[in-house]
Amino acid sequence: MRAPIGDFDDAQPATDRRELLPPPVAAAVTAEMLHVDSDPEKADTAVFAATYGEGLLEASANCVVVAGKRGQDVTLAACVVLSATRVDVNGAVRRHLGARKASFAAMETATGETGMEYGGITPVGLPAHWPLLIDPAVPATPWVLIGSGARRGKLIVPGKLLADLPNAVVLEGLGV
């Protein structure tokens, strides 16, 4: 099957490639999601786009884990923005979480809590109680390239589908 974006030799429904995905992602993928195999050494956005198609720069989204703190309470959340933008952690995220301080979660926390690999974290299959904050530009993008939960492989999903994931909130001003 040909992928709707990028230069990939082999795109398949993610549901047919569950064995290549971490358990939480494998349990959450749907038939609308495609999996494309890729070189894990080329997983970072700029290198990935140079290898698999420059047009992917506009269609790629990053998912990052943030920690909002208020006193002793810590709330973990995931944020999804197009790769050309960055997450407004100290503005939009902090306010939405009602935190006094917000920052990117430590790598060990992000990977340990999600069951995913660093550099491949995806909004698909996140812990059920986590808020999922999505910049409006993401669901407005017809097809979005996101992590697969592993550094090898990516998911290609309809942008609007991401806004329908559990606990998803489309948050104006998330991406700056």
Side-chain angles (χ1 to χ4, degrees):
M1 169 186 300
R2 182 90 181 124
I5 57 173
D7 299 322
F8 300 100
D9 294 331
D10 186 29
Q12 295 295 322
T15 52
D16 292 348
R17 291 192 170 162
R18 293 182 199 271
E19 74 281 358
L20 300 176
L21 305 170
V25 180
V29 292
T30 64
E32 300 92 348
M33 300 176 186
L34 298 176
H35 178 272
V36 292
D37 198 16
S38 62
D39 182 344
E41 295 300 315
K42 297 178 179 176
D44 294 324
T45 304
V47 175
F48 192 90
T51 305
Y52 297 104
E54 291 295 330
L56 293 174
L57 285 175
E58 291 80 37
S60 294
N62 294 323
C63 181
V64 297
V65 178
V66 297
K69 299 174 186 169
R70 179 174 280 287
Q72 298 300 321
D73 295 331
V74 177
T75 300
L76 295 175
C79 301
V80 181
V81 297
L82 292 178
S83 62
T85 61
R86 60 183 176 77
V87 175
D88 182 12
V89 175
N90 287 309
V93 173
R94 183 184 56 75
R95 284 189 301 275
H96 183 81
L97 296 179
R100 292 192 68 84
K101 180 181 179 192
S103 59
F104 293 104
M107 179 176 66
E108 301 80 29
T109 300
T111 57
E113 294 289 327
T114 63
M116 300 177 200
E117 294 178 9
Y118 186 73
I121 292 178
T122 182
V124 178
L126 290 168
H129 62 281
W130 280 23
L132 171 58
L133 309 179
I134 302 175
D135 186 76
V138 176
T141 303
W143 290 97
V144 180
L145 180 84
I146 57 174
S148 67
R151 284 191 61 85
R152 179 179 180 171
K154 298 282 187 185
L155 297 176
I156 297 175
V157 302
K160 64 184 178 197
L161 184 138
L162 295 174
D164 293 332
L165 290 174
N167 299 323
V169 174
V170 176
L171 184 61
E172 196 68 46
L174 180 63
V176 292

